[in-house]
Amino acid sequence: MATIGTPALWAGFSAFVVITLALDLGIFHRRAHEVRTREALRWTLAWISLAVVFGSILYAKAGSDRALEFFTGYLIEYALSVDNLFVFLVVFAYFGVPKSYQHRVLFWGILGAVVARGIFIGAGAALLSAFDWIIYVFGGFLIYTGIRLLRGSDEEVHPERNPVLRAFRRIVPIVPRYEGARFVVQDSGRRHATLLLCVLVALEATDIVFAVDSIPAIFAITRDPFIVYTSNIFAILGLRSLFFLLAGMMGRFHYLNVALALVLTFIGGKMLASNFVHIPIGASLAVVATLLGGGVAASLLRPKRPIAAAPAPAEPSKTPPEQA
């Protein structure tokens, strides 16, 4: 199936992304401040509304199949991004990032992710076009990732062990402090990176790891690079507001990893069977939505029990021993 992404559409969507990011940083978040829950909710609803509008335009211009492909890819990417949110929390806690600077560093992190995802998607589309058997590699990798996630073997995040960050610290001179919302400062006549730039590097490095999982997942839904890219970018654009909205309650969704594991396994199986069994895009969307909704509902209906504290050691008896 031919792509719907004409040069005009690619240029128009790219302009939309640039304009929205410019408005975000230049007007709405020009002053560094702590993003509170009510503001985060408004922005989350705004980004979701924009995605719905875009999908509706696709429906009107390109038909229901392309619109369903977009919404399915968007839902998958948005759900997989929850893992990114946990990483954000760990990185911010490790570096002690002040809350007033978190939106700024996430903004530039998202901008870098937009560029990186474009490169990944272009490479994936080229591979699938040149080598049909790559679809089986993608499918097998997603099933492996799903099983690993289902078994709970995902490792803890240790920013200090990140090889990209460690290399950055060896190459670039760093002042071990924050200088407002600046990434670079003059110190002793030389330019130095601040801790905020180290945080940005850590976030970009981890996003590359997550892209390795998410990009193949969307190629299972559609081979159209324009649909893959737009669904990916809409999910990424809404990631910052989702982080600030859920930052205090992400631990409650403890069954979401199970749901994500099942989604990845289903999508991987769909890729492996793509040349033998055709699963309608509407059915794929229904399966993905049911699994993710079930994971959220199960988490809310069966909250995680707090870990009981270890009993305190018994105090030695003060009663004197019996005399023989």
Side-chain angles (χ1 to χ4, degrees):
M1 186 181 294
T3 178
I4 63 172
T6 63
L9 281 178
W10 279 103
F13 184 75
S14 299
F16 162 78
V17 173
V18 171
I19 291 171
T20 53
L21 289 175
L23 290 173
D24 188 342
L25 186 65
I27 296 178
F28 297 111
H29 295 95
R30 181 171 53 185
R31 183 177 59 85
H33 66 282
E34 178 182 350
V35 179
R36 299 192 180 276
T37 302
R38 182 174 297 182
E39 180 184 356
L41 177 60
R42 289 199 303 267
W43 277 101
T44 299
L45 294 176
W47 287 117
I48 292 175
S49 299
L50 286 173
V52 171
V53 169
F54 183 81
S56 301
I57 294 174
L58 283 180
Y59 176 80
K61 300 295 184 180
S64 60
D65 284 349
R66 290 304 173 92
L68 285 174
E69 289 174 359
F70 169 79
F71 283 122
T72 305
Y74 173 70
L75 181 60
I76 290 172
E77 179 63 26
Y78 212 47
L80 289 174
S81 68
V82 173
D83 276 349
N84 290 51
L85 304 186
F86 284 104
V87 173
F88 293 169
L89 280 177
V90 173
V91 171
F92 286 162
Y94 173 76
F95 285 98
V97 183
K99 291 184 177 182
S100 58
Y101 303 150
Q102 290 178 2
H103 183 276
R104 179 176 176 83
V105 73
L106 283 178
F107 172 89
W108 291 105
I110 294 302
L111 186 60
V114 167
V115 176
R117 297 301 174 96
I119 295 172
F120 271 87
I121 291 169
L127 286 173
L128 287 171
S129 177
F131 309 104
D132 287 339
W133 52 267
I134 289 292
I135 193 73
Y136 300 115
V137 177
F138 285 178
F141 176 74
L142 289 177
I143 291 177
Y144 166 76
T145 303
I147 293 174
R148 188 183 63 184
L149 189 59
L150 192 62
R151 294 175 60 185
S153 59
D154 47 326
E155 300 177 356
E156 294 183 0
V157 179
H158 297 282
E160 71 278 7
R161 301 178 188 173
N162 188 299
V164 176
L165 181 59
R166 292 170 67 179
F168 178 80
R169 282 174 159 170
R170 285 197 298 267
I171 297 172
V172 179
I174 297 171
V175 290
R177 61 182 182 273
Y178 292 104
E179 293 285 348
R182 289 180 290 179
F183 293 108
V184 179
V185 294
Q186 287 279 358
D187 190 76
S188 302
R190 296 181 60 193
R191 288 186 178 272
H192 287 67
T194 67
L195 277 183
L196 203 62
L197 186 55
C198 293
V199 175
L200 179 60
V201 170
L203 293 179
E204 294 289 3
T206 54
D207 179 74
I208 291 175
V209 175
F210 283 109
V212 173
D213 288 340
S214 63
I215 299 302
I218 298 184
F219 271 116
I221 304 302
T222 178
R223 300 287 187 90
D224 189 330
F226 185 73
I227 301 295
V228 174
Y229 184 71
T230 53
S231 59
N232 222 282
I233 297 309
F234 267 111
I236 291 175
L237 290 175
L239 192 56
R240 289 162 300 150
S241 55
L242 185 65
F243 168 76
F244 292 110
L245 180 63
L246 300 180
M249 51 187 294
M250 281 188 283
R252 296 178 59 184
F253 301 114
H254 52 285
Y255 284 114
L256 190 56
N257 270 0
V258 176
L260 290 174
L262 295 176
V263 167
L264 289 175
T265 304
F266 165 73
I267 294 172
K270 184 177 185 294
M271 295 182 97
L272 293 180
S274 59
N275 289 329
F276 309 100
V277 179
H278 173 67
I279 301 177
I281 187 62
S284 297
L285 178 58
V287 170
V288 171
T290 300
L291 289 173
L292 295 175
V296 173
S299 300
L300 297 177
L301 292 174
R302 298 190 61 183
K304 182 184 291 186
R305 295 180 180 178
I307 300 175
E315 293 185 4
S317 174
K318 297 181 180 179
T319 305
E322 291 187 6
Q323 300 293 328

